[in-house]
Amino acid sequence: MRDTERQKTGEEIDRIYIEAGARILKCRTDKKLSRNSLAKAAGISSKFLYEIESGHTGFTVGVLERLANALRVDSDYILHGRLARQNCDEDLIKAISAFDEEKLQKLVPVLNILAEFK
């Protein structure tokens, strides 16, 4: 492999780590988790988690799996931003269950309109 090919691959990997770190941070803040609580749940130090979230360091597959489990998201979402259908379904069911019967009747047509967008 040529040096330029190696460099390009390294840049791509760096970009993945930066974007993954940003998604981990967003998930953590969306779920109102402190850095310490997520780090503890994933079995890593909060300093290491900070380094990951800020894109300053990479992580192993094992750390990825533990973070994904602790955040209750798919590792594919952390790496590439793609949501697993199961997680979306669970979130949607949870959100809809907060509606009373009257508001739910108003929500159905809105959901039907949204379903038309692809």
Side-chain angles (χ1 to χ4, degrees), residues 31-48:
K31 294 175 186 284
K32 297 177 176 42
L33 295 171
S34 70
R35 185 173 289 124
N36 287 335
S37 64
L38 176 57
K40 185 175 181 178
I44 61 175
S45 72
S46 57
K47 181 178 181 347
F48 184 40

Side-chain angles (χ1 to χ4, degrees), residues 11-111:
E11 289 171 3
E12 179 68 12
I13 291 170
D14 289 345
R15 184 188 58 76
I16 290 170
Y17 282 135
I18 290 167
E19 291 174 359
R23 280 189 284 274
I24 291 167
L25 174 61
K26 182 175 180 346
C27 284
R28 179 176 64 78
T29 56
D30 286 353
K31 294 175 186 284
K32 297 177 176 42
L33 295 171
S34 70
R35 185 173 289 124
N36 287 335
S37 64
L38 176 57
K40 185 175 181 178
I44 61 175
S45 72
S46 57
K47 181 178 181 347
F48 184 40
L49 179 56
Y50 168 78
E51 294 290 322
I52 291 170
E53 288 178 340
S54 61
H56 294 317
T57 192
F59 44 85
T60 65
V61 172
V63 170
L64 171 63
E65 180 180 29
R66 293 195 311 267
L67 284 167
N69 288 338
L71 290 167
R72 294 184 7 201
V73 297
D74 218 45
S75 59
D76 198 42
Y77 170 72
I78 291 174
L79 289 177
H80 305 290
R82 293 186 291 253
L83 290 174
R85 174 70 190 237
Q86 179 183 356
N87 291 340
C88 291
D89 290 349
E90 290 171 8
D91 290 344
L92 185 58
I93 290 168
K94 183 178 178 182
I96 289 173
S97 67
F99 285 81
D100 63 25
E101 194 63 36
E102 180 183 337
K103 289 180 182 174
L104 189 58
Q105 294 303 317
K106 294 176 182 176
L107 178 64
V108 170
V110 173
L111 292 174

